[in-house]
Structure formats: C-alpha cells, structure tokens
Amino acid sequence: MSDVRLARVHYVPAALESGVLYVSDEYKVAMHLCACGCGSKVPISLGPAGWKITERNDKPTVRPSIGSGQLPCNSHYFITDGRVDWLRPMSAAQTVAALKSDHDRREDYYRDMNRKSLWWNRAWRRLLGWFGRG
C-alpha cells in the first residue's frame, strides 16, 4: 500500500479495505490494514494520550509513527498526506520501549486529568458550602 485514503465512520467495519484508514471520532479509534500488505489489522487509539490524525485535501496524516513491532512483519511507518513513509523496522527492544512509552504517556495524562478533576471538585464543594448547600 502506498496511498491511504480517509474514511470517517461511526463504527469500524469488520472487513477492512486495503489503503483505507477508518476513523471513528466518536469512539476515538482508527484502524487500517498494515501498510506492508500482510493483512493484519492495526488499531490506533486517538486523543491526547494517543495518536493524532489530521486531514488535508481529504488525505490523512498520522502522528506519531505507526510501529507494528508486535506483528510478524515489524512494519514501522508514518502516514503523511495519505502517503506511507517507511521507517526502519522496529527491533524487539524498540517495540518494548515504544509500548512502555505509550503506557507511560497514558498514565501521565489520566493522572493529570484526575488531579484537575479533584481540584475542581474540592473548589465546587467549597463554593457550595459558602452558599449553605454543601
């Protein structure tokens, strides 16, 4: 696969078409068949703690890179303006490091969100207390 087109969907279909990046904004997930042609489904979690997909001229760009180090093909690539830009295959150590980095990024994001939520809840309760409703 050398070109990727974007398909915005509510649900990702069970049968995927090669060369199509299916994006569900509602469920914050995207999926496509591995760019190498091996036929493996590659899920991409979206959002502040995941990948970001932008669109220009109906062509998707995905960041950071997509590393399929857990698949037998070990594919590693960017999708930029609908084009697959190949990177060196990921070694087992790089795959483990990338998975740990992804996990740590999600942990940090949700820990920070929890702190912000706790701060807001305490402030709200204090405000309600001032008005005799807390």
Side-chain angles (χ1 to χ4, degrees):
M1 167 175 61
S2 59
D3 291 324
V4 180
R5 71 178 174 84
L6 184 67
R8 298 226 179 247
V9 296
H10 182 72
Y11 298 112
V12 173
L16 304 182
E17 184 182 329
S18 180
V20 179
L21 176 66
Y22 298 90
V23 177
S24 172
D25 291 319
E26 182 175 352
Y27 293 103
K28 304 285 188 241
V29 67
M31 188 166 306
H32 66 287
L33 293 176
C34 185
C36 79
C38 71
S40 296
K41 292 181 179 181
V42 179
I44 303 169
S45 62
L46 305 177
W51 280 255
K52 180 178 180 181
I53 296 176
T54 56
E55 178 180 4
R56 185 170 61 178
N57 299 326
D58 297 325
K59 295 181 179 185
T61 293
V62 180
R63 291 295 183 268
S65 65
I66 300 165
S68 302
Q70 294 176 297
L71 299 176
C73 64
N74 291 322
S75 292
H76 188 203
Y77 49 91
F78 282 115
I79 297 175
T80 307
D81 291 331
R83 183 186 67 248
V84 175
D85 295 320
W86 290 98
L87 301 169
R88 298 175 89 187
M90 295 178 72
S91 68
Q94 288 171 318
T95 298
V96 169
L99 290 170
K100 182 179 181 333
S101 175
D102 292 346
H103 174 78
D104 291 347
R105 186 175 63 243
R106 281 189 298 276
E107 288 278 317
D108 290 345
Y109 174 77
Y110 289 111
R111 184 175 29 258
D112 289 346
M113 290 301 295
N114 190 38
R115 280 189 201 124
K116 290 174 185 173
S117 175
L118 290 173
W119 175 88
W120 173 250
N121 287 332
R122 285 191 309 267
W124 181 249
R125 284 193 303 270
R126 185 173 297 140
L127 182 63
L128 288 176
W130 288 343
F131 293 100
R133 295 184 180 183

